[in-house]
Amino acid sequence: KTPEYFIPENGVALYPNPSKSHEVFVSFDLLESKYVTVGIYSLTGKNMFQLSPSVYPPGENTLFISTEGLASGIYLVRISMEGEIFTE
């Protein structure tokens, strides 16, 4: 089940953060279908995990990401959508 969370003004959320488990949820809102790339980064900017680029439908999209093998801590999510980049 997807946890309760708040999607901020930029339309991107990473929950839980800091991550204490081996799973996180990334949520983002789209006004129209878009080609999206999602990456998880350390606070130093190191790319820790990258999902294969995919087309997502309009509305709220929530992705489950296994963080098995990553240390507990604070991470950034970077979402690239056809020329737009959002980091949370």
Side-chain angles (χ1 to χ4, degrees), residues 22-39:
H22 296 292
E23 58 187 35
V24 295
F25 295 88
V26 175
S27 294
F28 52 93
D29 283 331
L30 297 176
L31 296 176
E32 57 190 48
S33 292
K34 288 194 176 189
Y35 190 73
V36 177
T37 302
V38 178

Side-chain angles (χ1 to χ4, degrees), residues 8 13 17-18 21-22 29 32 38-39 60 68 81 84-85 88:
N17 201 12
S21 64
H22 296 292
D29 283 331
E32 57 190 48
V38 178
E60 184 179 317
E68 188 96 24
M81 307 180 213
E84 298 177 85
I85 298 175
E88 179 64 33

Side-chain angles (χ1 to χ4, degrees), residues 1-70:
K1 181 181 178 210
T2 304
E4 294 295 320
Y5 52 85
F6 170 71
I7 298 180
E9 276 186 39
N10 69 3
V12 176
L14 177 65
Y15 180 86
N17 201 12
S19 173
K20 296 177 186 170
S21 64
H22 296 292
E23 58 187 35
V24 295
F25 295 88
V26 175
S27 294
F28 52 93
D29 283 331
L30 297 176
L31 296 176
E32 57 190 48
S33 292
K34 288 194 176 189
Y35 190 73
V36 177
T37 302
V38 178
I40 304 294
Y41 291 80
S42 70
L43 290 178
T44 61
K46 182 179 177 185
N47 186 340
M48 307 300 289
F49 184 86
Q50 185 98 13
L51 289 177
S52 297
S54 297
V55 175
Y56 291 91
E60 184 179 317
N61 293 272
T62 301
L63 309 175
F64 164 81
I65 298 175
S66 172
T67 55
E68 188 96 24
L70 295 181

